[in-house]
Amino acid sequence: MLNNEYCKRVYEQILARDPDQKEFHQAVYEVLEGLEPMVERRPELEKNGILERFVEPERVVTFRVPWTDDAGQVHVNRGYRVQFNSAIGPYKGGLRFQKNVYEGIIKFLGFEQTFKNSLTGLPIGGAKGGSDFDPRGKSDAEVMRFCQAYMTELYRHIGQDIDCPAGDLGVGGREIGYLYGQYRRLKGTFENGVLTGKGFSYGGSLTRPEATGYGAMYYLQEVLKHEGEEIKGKTIACAGFGNVTWGICKKALHLGAKVVTLSGPDGYIYDEEGVSSSEEKVNYLLEMRASGRNRVQDYADKFGVPFFPGEKPWGVKADVIMPSAMQNDVNMESAQKIVANGVKYYIEVANMPTTNDALYYLMSQKNMVVAPSKAVNAGGVGVSALEMSQNSERLVWTAEEVDAQLHKMMVNIHKVSAEAAEEYGLGYNLVAGANIAGFQKVANAMMEQGIF
Ligand code: GLU
């Protein structure tokens, strides 16, 4: 519950302004809860209208995306780019292509991105974009035409010192390639820092595909270290089977941890030996994704492990739960199962994977450590920022160099979050700590730069 009058007022204002944007309300509420102790101590925030400015994007662009399918039929989708906050660097954040995308989803993601990007310690502001276009079931040529149409409008709002999009759900290397090709044609210049997650041959960074999953595992290692434990031998329940989960499994294989579940829209699989027990299994995730079938049952069929149709993996016994698929994947019912199983580590990976009631319930458990996605998954955008650095330098770093920087970044994110919570008397509260640490840097930059 919000107690601080200023926080309450700001929350009521967003409800009144955009009553239908429930994901955005959820993200803002969770942040305000965490910021309350700091807002109490820093009255200058209210005087400067910092929270009101924080929750209002600097700019929202909505546009028409007309494209032609293979049969010659024209379709129209809606495109978005929400440029949330540029106080500490050019806007930065992914593009999501998914049927359910609307302004409320892009705003929640852009809002969270501002904190996440600040936590990386690198000079990147917050943004997010996307479309209600669903790339599944479309041919390559259709995806290409859609991406070209999308960029034909977007290009006038972005640039390597203005706003630098990347991928998110439904936008991977293929889409980034088509988007960058169109940008380059329209601008007539090789300005490749404008997009990240590019193919290696035209400026992509080594380790960018793995970065979100690797970063999440490095963060988990820090949490375990704090609790006097180690990662080797730990069992982990994951969700999804996309890019992030693949990165987690790949790093788990190196570190000797065991990822026992994957999930998809069709249900979940349980692999007692571990998805992370062999390279063959880890690599199969790439094949599943490339097939476009969107079925996790294929894994069960191939490796002869149990498949649970229509169910989520949150009732399994594991040392660590890592929801790594999408928002609101873990609700109160799932949270109760997690607690009943005596899980000690709840490490969010996907953006806002927990409903707020479930999150507060998990956080209220004495023996549980809860870590928030805006810190845990920040390695993805962090390595995107390193990709931008390489593009500016016109140099290519080795995988070891990128990985070492990523590791350092994740250690630091955990450290500054834990310290911020400690400073405000909140103990080892990584959720509030990440909100406070991410917020302070941006808020200070906003105050120093005057009202805008
Ligand atoms: N979409 C990713 C995220 O949620 C990556 C964004 C980026 O690399 O700019 O952070």
Side-chain angles (χ1 to χ4, degrees):
M1 241 216 352
L2 293 174
N3 296 310
N4 176 277
E5 286 307 317
Y6 179 35
C7 290
K8 269 199 230 168
R9 193 171 76 242
V10 170
Y11 184 64
E12 275 154 22
Q13 210 171 53
I14 66 152
L15 293 183
R17 261 201 186 136
D18 296 297
D20 302 329
Q21 298 180 357
K22 58 182 193 312
E23 295 83 1
F24 178 57
H25 305 159
Q26 182 184 338
V28 171
Y29 189 94
E30 186 263 307
V31 162
L32 291 175
E33 262 256 329
L35 294 183
E36 272 190 338
M38 189 199 53
V39 172
E40 299 272 341
R41 240 195 247 178
R42 294 186 61 181
E44 75 276 17
L45 295 174
E46 181 168 2
K47 181 140 201 316
N48 281 280
I50 288 288
L51 292 180
E52 293 91 324
R53 285 195 272 153
F54 232 93
V55 298
E56 186 65 21
E58 289 175 20
R59 190 172 298 106
V60 177
V61 186
T62 310
F63 51 97
R64 179 175 75 189
V65 191
W67 59 281
T68 311
D69 70 19
D70 290 342
Q73 177 64 49
V74 174
H75 300 265
V76 176
N77 282 95
R78 187 170 281 179
Y80 300 91
R81 186 70 181 166
V82 175
Q83 297 177 330
F84 233 103
N85 197 307
S86 60
I88 62 166
Y91 305 108
K92 176 94 197 85
L95 301 173
R96 175 175 293 192
F97 292 170
Q98 209 176 34
K99 251 203 308 253
N100 65 359
V101 160
Y102 77 108
E103 197 175 313
I105 296 242
I106 302 297
K107 271 177 68 179
F108 114 64
L109 290 163
F111 180 71
E112 296 255 300
Q113 198 81 41
T114 304
F115 292 81
K116 185 194 309 196
N117 293 4
S118 162
L119 283 169
T120 65
L122 297 169
I124 38 179
K128 204 84 184 192
S131 173
D132 56 1
F133 172 77
D134 184 1
R136 289 185 208 282
K138 306 287 191 302
S139 71
D140 251 5
E142 287 171 333
V143 170
M144 180 185 75
R145 287 194 292 273
F146 176 82
C147 290
Q148 290 174 340
Y150 185 87
M151 185 53 84
T152 300
E153 172 57 31
L154 187 70
Y155 91 98
R156 65 188 83 242
H157 308 289
I158 62 175
Q160 63 186 7
D161 297 313
I162 302 170
D163 181 358
C164 314
D168 197 82
L169 299 179
V171 179
R174 173 181 65 165
E175 289 75 16
I176 293 294
Y178 293 146
L179 289 163
Y180 180 61
Q182 184 71 349
Y183 182 84
R184 192 170 59 72
R185 262 170 240 123
L186 290 165
K187 295 281 285 204
T189 141
F190 198 87
E191 188 196 299
N192 61 354
V194 67
L195 288 171
T196 60
K198 298 180 293 292
F200 185 63
S201 61
Y202 58 98
S205 174
L206 292 171
T207 315
R208 176 63 189 90
E210 290 90 345
T212 311
Y214 278 21
M217 292 299 277
Y218 293 148
Y219 187 99
L220 171 62
Q221 273 187 303
E222 292 309 297
V223 170
L224 292 169
K225 211 187 286 169
H226 182 271
E227 299 298 296
E229 296 197 48
E230 61 168 44
I231 202 157
K232 201 168 164 31
K234 289 278 179 299
T235 51
I236 302 175
C238 271
F241 59 86
N243 174 262
V244 176
T245 305
W246 166 74
I248 290 174
C249 291
K250 203 167 161 186
K251 187 47 79 180
L253 172 65
H254 299 161
L255 298 174
K258 211 198 276 186
V259 176
V260 289
T261 62
L262 302 172
S263 71
D266 53 335
Y268 82 91
I269 65 97
Y270 184 83
D271 186 342
E272 199 181 344
E273 260 184 15
V275 179
S276 50
S277 61
S278 74
E279 269 181 33
E280 188 199 357
K281 286 181 173 177
V282 175
N283 291 340
Y284 188 65
L285 267 57
L286 297 176
E287 253 179 72
M288 280 160 68
R289 199 152 21 113
S291 80
R293 285 158 57 83
N294 205 18
R295 273 162 45 112
V296 78
Q297 191 183 352
D298 290 355
Y299 183 96
D301 294 346
K302 172 134 176 114
F303 297 107
V305 302
F307 169 64
F308 301 87
E311 283 185 49
K312 288 183 188 290
W314 311 129
V316 306
K317 281 201 186 309
D319 300 313
V320 185
I321 299 282
M322 293 181 99
S324 43
M326 65 179 78
Q327 71 268 8
N328 292 331
D329 201 18
V330 177
N331 60 15
M332 192 59 173
E333 198 192 323
S334 304
Q336 281 164 344
K337 288 186 195 159
I338 292 169
V339 170
N341 275 330
V343 172
K344 178 159 180 203
Y345 300 102
Y346 182 79
I347 311 290
E348 291 189 332
V349 189
N351 290 313
M352 204 170 74
T354 323
T355 61
N356 277 351
D357 56 343
L359 181 68
Y360 298 135
Y361 172 68
L362 292 168
M363 286 172 71
S364 71
Q365 304 302 313
K366 265 212 256 359
N367 296 325
M368 187 175 274
V369 180
V370 177
S373 55
K374 56 173 83 72
V376 177
N377 76 24
V381 72
V383 171
S384 274
L386 301 179
E387 181 173 331
M388 289 163 70
S389 302
Q390 293 169 72
N391 297 153
S392 297
E393 290 184 324
R394 296 173 195 265
L395 289 175
V396 176
W397 302 354
T398 62
E400 290 71 28
E401 279 174 281
V402 177
D403 194 39
Q405 292 253 13
L406 169 64
H407 187 244
K408 210 163 68 187
M409 195 187 305
M410 299 313 299
V411 169
N412 194 51
I413 291 173
H414 172 266
K415 181 169 172 280
V416 298
S417 305
E419 283 172 359
E422 197 62 50
E423 189 190 335
Y424 285 93
L426 303 168
Y428 190 49
N429 181 340
L430 295 170
V431 176
N435 286 330
I436 294 172
F439 176 83
Q440 304 233 65
K441 181 178 173 192
V442 182
N444 293 344
M446 286 167 78
M447 285 196 283
E448 284 167 29
Q449 293 174 38
I451 311 295
F452 68 102

